[in-house]
Amino acid sequence: MMIIAAKACTGCKLCEKNCPFSAMLVVDGTAQAQDNCTLCGACMNVCSVHAIHIERMAASPEELAKFKGVFIWAELEEDETGERLTPKKVVLELLTEAKRLAGTLGEEIKVLVLGDGRPVDTGILAAHGADAIVRFENKLLWPYSTDAYTTVISAMVAAKKPSIFLLGATPNGRDLAPRVGARLKLGLTADCTMLEINDEKQLVQTRPAFGGNIMASILTPFSRPQMATVRPNVFKVGAADPARRAPVEDFPVSLQRGVVRTKILGIEKLTGRGGGIENASVIVAAGHGLKSAENLAMLRELADELGGTLAGSRAIVEAGWIPHTLQVGQSGITVSPDLYIAVGISGAVQHIVGMSGAGTIIAINNDPEAPIFKVADVGIVGDAFEVVPALIKEIRQSKKKAA
Ligand SMILES: Cc1cc2nc3c(=O)[nH]c(=O)nc-3n(C[C@H](O)[C@H](O)[C@H](O)COP(=O)(O)OP(=O)(O)OC[C@H]3O[C@@H](n4cnc5c(N)ncnc54)[C@H](O)[C@@H]3O)c2cc1C
């Protein structure tokens, strides 16, 4: 329900200008919501005198039942040419999981696509399970900005009423989801590692809690949609069906320049060793057992020989040896390379949750009781300062032989 404090309203028309649905009108100097108001909250957000208030009560089961469908925000990135936009890998991971959830609920999967007018690779979304695509294009949507995306996504969610809304827990997803949640007065479970549907057809959102020592299963019984973010690399991408098609529906919404309060002056891409570890196929990860930052040089050499990337545990991030962008684990990044070599890493649960999805895990540790060996496919009990140089030598020799 929207409450407008007539005494406080100055009739400034900011709400009228910024309503994505043209549902606010200033009549006789006071704002009034029209019948097509979706309660998306855009007016409340821009009202400088706080004259607009939206009250959201716990919904009845009958009202909750009106929310249908599993929605996913398709975060896009530019392809190599910069001429097309393509969904990030995490979107395909979410689609694979959404297929299972939507199948249990007997509902459809819709993907929200926000672009700036460049062609978007929507075929891949259909091939991975999207039943329909809801699209909105506007030059203000590139590059990403919190204000523009919150306005459009909140409007889409408020109008379309999905029962579940999933986003990737990427930096932008982590920025956007709580904003949309706050705008629509919804709960949000961040960084889920498991999603299930229970007997009451509710989404059970599971994530590590209390420092990763327990797994918490969270329900959203009184509001819809049930909103969750999922880290990249937690779910696998399923097989694509190139024969599948999904109709594209353009969403009627307006986005005014005044909504966007930030200006991107430039973008610098991280390159080389500081680049992202999310998509690396080989990772050599260092732990506190390496003793000092200087000793990381031998791990860089090993990573170079294998065409891989250096990463590490939180202990060495806190010691200042590597930046946080290279931290694997619960408070860092979840990775799923083909090969993960953990050197001098004990294997704390907060580290394991970030790398246990790797194809092959090799652990090198001088303590035979180190927990890392429990998740390792190959365990080498030994001193890293002997094992790693021997490994590098062996790899170089076998490369020479092969040449
Ligand atoms: C809320 C919370 C979030 C956290 N998030 C993360 C996270 O995202 N990522 C993360 O990594 N941690 C995280 N942690 C910290 C985590 O609990 C551990 O403290 C951390 O992972 C330990 O790092 P480490 O294994 O490098 O160091 P240590 O635990 O000190 O282990 C060093 C290991 O090196 C071995 N070693 C020593 N010398 C040698 C040698 N010469 N050769 C071979 N092996 C040797 C030792 O046997 C030991 O097993 C988090 C903790 C909390 C509370």
Side-chain angles (χ1 to χ4, degrees):
M1 180 175 58
M2 181 180 289
I3 300 162
I4 298 172
K7 277 190 187 157
C9 177
T10 59
C12 70
K13 296 197 176 182
L14 261 181
C15 54
E16 198 179 290
K17 281 187 205 134
N18 286 291
C19 174
F21 298 104
S22 309
M24 289 300 284
L25 276 185
V26 173
V27 182
D28 297 332
T30 308
Q32 284 181 11
Q34 306 303 296
D35 289 345
N36 58 334
C37 170
T38 62
L39 297 180
C40 76
C43 54
M44 188 172 73
N45 203 46
V46 293
C47 179
S48 56
V49 292
H50 307 292
I52 302 175
H53 180 66
I54 294 175
E55 258 186 23
R56 295 181 204 268
M57 316 282 186
S60 64
E62 293 74 36
E63 279 164 24
L64 295 183
K66 289 181 192 155
F67 289 75
K68 292 256 183 288
V70 180
F71 280 30
I72 291 172
W73 172 48
E75 185 173 0
L76 303 175
E77 58 189 352
E78 290 173 337
D79 71 356
E80 315 79 60
T81 66
E83 283 166 16
R84 293 180 69 83
L85 300 175
T86 175
K88 287 194 160 193
K89 184 169 150 260
V90 66
V91 179
L92 308 185
E93 294 166 6
L94 290 177
L95 271 168
T96 305
E97 189 61 7
K99 265 202 294 193
R100 207 173 52 78
L101 303 174
T104 311
L105 290 167
E107 294 179 2
E108 285 200 323
I109 301 174
K110 293 194 179 178
V111 179
L112 309 182
V113 171
L114 276 60
D116 63 352
R118 279 177 285 179
V120 178
D121 191 1
T122 49
I124 194 169
L125 297 171
H128 280 89
D131 296 306
I133 287 153
V134 183
R135 177 175 66 184
F136 178 68
E137 292 179 328
N138 187 301
K139 292 279 175 230
L140 290 174
L141 291 172
W142 206 270
Y144 170 88
S145 80
T146 313
D147 287 327
Y149 275 68
T150 304
T151 299
V152 176
I153 295 280
S154 299
M156 284 176 161
V157 171
K160 295 281 174 185
K161 299 191 184 320
S163 65
I164 294 173
F165 183 38
L166 305 176
L167 304 91
T170 59
N172 287 345
R174 286 175 181 207
D175 176 73
L176 176 63
R179 295 300 183 109
V180 173
R183 184 78 65 93
L184 299 178
K185 300 280 188 290
L186 300 172
L188 167 69
T189 309
D191 277 357
C192 293
T193 53
M194 221 164 43
L195 298 170
E196 288 298 336
I197 303 293
N198 69 9
D199 292 344
E200 279 88 52
K201 299 211 161 183
Q202 293 168 319
L203 182 68
V204 183
Q205 305 148 70
T206 303
R207 55 151 298 152
F210 296 106
N213 291 317
I214 63 160
M215 298 302 279
S217 292
I218 296 163
L219 296 176
T220 314
F222 304 119
S223 66
R224 289 291 178 276
Q226 303 155 95
M227 201 161 87
T229 61
V230 177
R231 281 175 169 225
N233 294 321
V234 167
F235 299 127
K236 299 264 178 251
V237 177
D241 175 1
R244 286 192 91 253
R245 298 282 175 272
V248 179
E249 167 200 341
D250 281 309
F251 187 73
V253 65
S254 87
L255 179 66
Q256 301 300 320
R257 184 163 290 279
V259 162
V260 185
R261 292 168 295 176
T262 49
K263 197 170 170 188
I264 309 282
L265 300 177
I267 294 177
E268 262 181 58
K269 282 199 174 161
L270 284 175
T271 52
R273 288 202 172 107
I277 55 175
E278 288 99 326
N279 300 322
S281 54
V282 176
I283 290 179
V284 178
H288 214 232
L290 266 294
K291 320 277 189 238
S292 75
E294 290 69 42
N295 293 331
L296 297 184
M298 69 174 180
L299 294 202
R300 285 206 179 90
E301 254 183 77
L302 178 59
D304 286 346
E305 287 300 332
L306 296 169
T309 306
L310 183 76
S313 68
R314 173 153 142 180
I316 75 163
V317 172
E318 283 175 350
W321 302 356
I322 57 167
H324 181 253
T325 47
L326 299 185
Q327 180 187 316
V328 173
Q330 184 193 313
S331 51
I333 299 196
T334 304
V335 296
S336 65
D338 299 328
L339 175 63
Y340 189 86
I341 308 182
V343 187
I345 292 181
S346 57
V349 63
Q350 297 92 352
H351 187 83
I352 302 288
V353 293
M355 46 67 80
S356 53
T360 302
I361 299 170
I362 301 178
I364 303 168
N365 198 303
N366 61 5
D367 174 6
E369 301 298 323
I372 191 80
F373 288 129
K374 291 199 183 118
V375 292
D377 299 292
V378 178
I380 304 174
V381 180
D383 185 344
F385 299 98
E386 292 169 14
V387 177
V388 173
L391 260 179
I392 296 171
K393 197 171 152 200
E394 192 63 33
I395 293 167
R396 284 183 182 151
Q397 272 174 1
S398 58
K399 275 188 184 170
K400 250 191 206 163
K401 267 190 211 156

